[in-house]
Amino acid sequence: MNNVRGGYSDLLNSAKQYQLWLMLAWVEIRQRYARSKIGPFWLTISMGILVTALGVVYGTLFGAQLNEYLPLLAIGFVFWSFISSTINEGCNAYISAGNYLKQIPLNRGVFVFQTMWRNIIILAHNFVIIIIVLLVFQNNVLLGLPLFIVGFIILCWNLVWMITLLSILCARFRDLPQIVMSFLQVIFYITPILFKREMLGKYPLLIDLNPFAHLIEIIRSPLLGQAVPAISWIVCIIMAISGSIISIWFHGRYRARIPYWV
């Protein structure tokens, strides 16, 4: 119980220091794109080109209509990029912040929220692609906007507890970030991003047992004007609650050791 209380207190105090982690995230992005006129929009341009190329090629291979396939691909690909980059960078959250942790007594969760906010900023740039695609091919986007907002909050909730847990584990075990990166590459190919669920035919369990498929579903279906399966809401909410409890306990137990590991 003390570990849960300590972990919750640290994360809550970190959240209250929002001015600090908002500034750290913004400064890091500015440093990445210093002297660049376009800045993070370079990522948007490259992703837009990639989504268009994949949409044309895979849409032709699957025999799908471009007006149906390209929105599905664009939303799935942009949000998968957000999910994978958040998790991968979250693995190195404390490792990258080693100099801060060794010199300044800060709440550990500050670096978790910094990682999360930095990737949300980049997502906001890439979201331009989704807006353009939906404006060209869809007419009922606003109908699903409330559910999309709810889905996005649940997605961010899940990502916060994931990087809270992984950041500590990866600070202790330095081989783990590479393992996580390889794992996400495999998950990408069995998550319905480049394909529709129906294309698997006799093997729907590959989707039903994949939590990342449900995370994509609660985001993509509302934007496409489709109903989100109840199982996706249930899986994502249960995962968020149970994962939060585990990560808060873990954070409370091991947060004091992080400076010695990094």
Side-chain angles (χ1 to χ4, degrees):
M1 184 59 68
N2 289 334
N3 291 327
V4 173
R5 189 180 299 111
Y8 176 77
S9 176
D10 183 272
L11 291 171
L12 181 61
N13 290 330
S14 299
K16 291 179 179 178
Q17 293 180 298
Y18 62 91
Q19 292 180 331
L20 176 60
W21 47 264
L22 288 176
M23 181 194 67
L24 288 173
W26 185 251
V27 168
E28 186 169 348
I29 289 179
R30 292 198 63 175
Q31 288 177 341
R32 286 186 186 183
Y33 300 99
R35 300 182 182 179
S36 173
K37 297 294 184 182
I38 301 179
F41 280 108
W42 279 118
L43 295 175
T44 305
I45 294 171
S46 61
M47 181 169 290
I49 294 172
L50 182 59
V51 166
T52 302
L54 289 175
V56 173
V57 173
Y58 280 91
T60 302
L61 289 175
F62 294 148
Q65 295 292 327
L66 191 62
N67 62 335
E68 295 180 359
Y69 183 72
L70 194 57
L72 179 141
L73 174 65
I75 298 170
F77 203 84
V78 167
F79 276 96
W80 175 258
S81 176
F82 168 63
I83 292 170
S84 61
S85 63
T86 300
I87 293 175
N88 283 324
E89 292 182 15
C91 289
N92 295 295
Y94 294 134
I95 298 172
S96 301
N99 291 332
Y100 292 112
L101 290 168
K102 293 176 182 177
Q103 299 180 43
I104 307 173
L106 290 172
N107 292 304
R108 308 295 186 252
V110 165
F111 302 102
V112 171
F113 292 118
Q114 175 198 0
T115 302
M116 191 72 215
W117 181 245
R118 182 173 66 243
N119 282 279
I120 289 176
I121 294 174
I122 295 174
L123 172 65
H125 287 80
N126 291 336
F127 199 78
V128 172
I129 299 171
I130 296 177
I131 294 174
I132 293 173
V133 171
L134 291 178
L135 287 176
V136 172
F137 294 109
Q138 299 288 323
N139 298 317
N140 54 355
V141 179
L142 294 178
L143 295 178
L145 193 58
L147 283 179
F148 164 75
I149 294 174
V150 174
F152 183 68
I153 292 172
I154 295 174
L155 170 61
C156 290
W157 181 5
N158 276 285
L159 288 176
V160 167
W161 76 255
M162 288 180 191
I163 61 179
T164 298
L165 183 62
L166 287 172
S167 58
I168 297 177
L169 288 172
C170 292
R172 178 64 180 87
F173 304 103
R174 293 302 178 90
D175 291 328
L176 194 55
Q178 296 299 322
I179 295 174
V180 172
M181 185 181 299
S182 300
F183 172 76
L184 289 174
Q185 289 175 347
V186 173
I187 291 295
F188 171 78
Y189 291 106
I190 60 175
T191 301
I193 297 169
L194 299 175
F195 59 90
K196 295 180 181 180
R197 172 193 172 91
E198 295 76 17
M199 293 178 180
L200 287 179
K202 299 179 180 179
Y203 306 99
L205 281 178
L206 288 176
I207 305 298
D208 295 336
L209 298 179
N210 180 358
F212 290 95
H214 297 293
L215 290 173
I216 292 292
E217 193 68 40
I218 64 174
I219 290 292
R220 184 165 59 186
S221 291
L223 290 178
L224 294 177
Q226 301 171 357
V228 180
I231 184 65
S232 294
W233 290 117
I234 294 171
V235 168
C236 292
I237 293 173
I238 291 177
M239 186 166 60
I241 295 173
S242 58
S244 296
I245 295 172
I246 295 171
S247 63
I248 289 172
W249 177 87
F250 205 82
H251 187 77
R253 182 174 177 81
Y254 295 106
R255 72 187 188 283
R257 305 183 190 182
I258 295 172
Y260 301 98
W261 291 339
V262 297

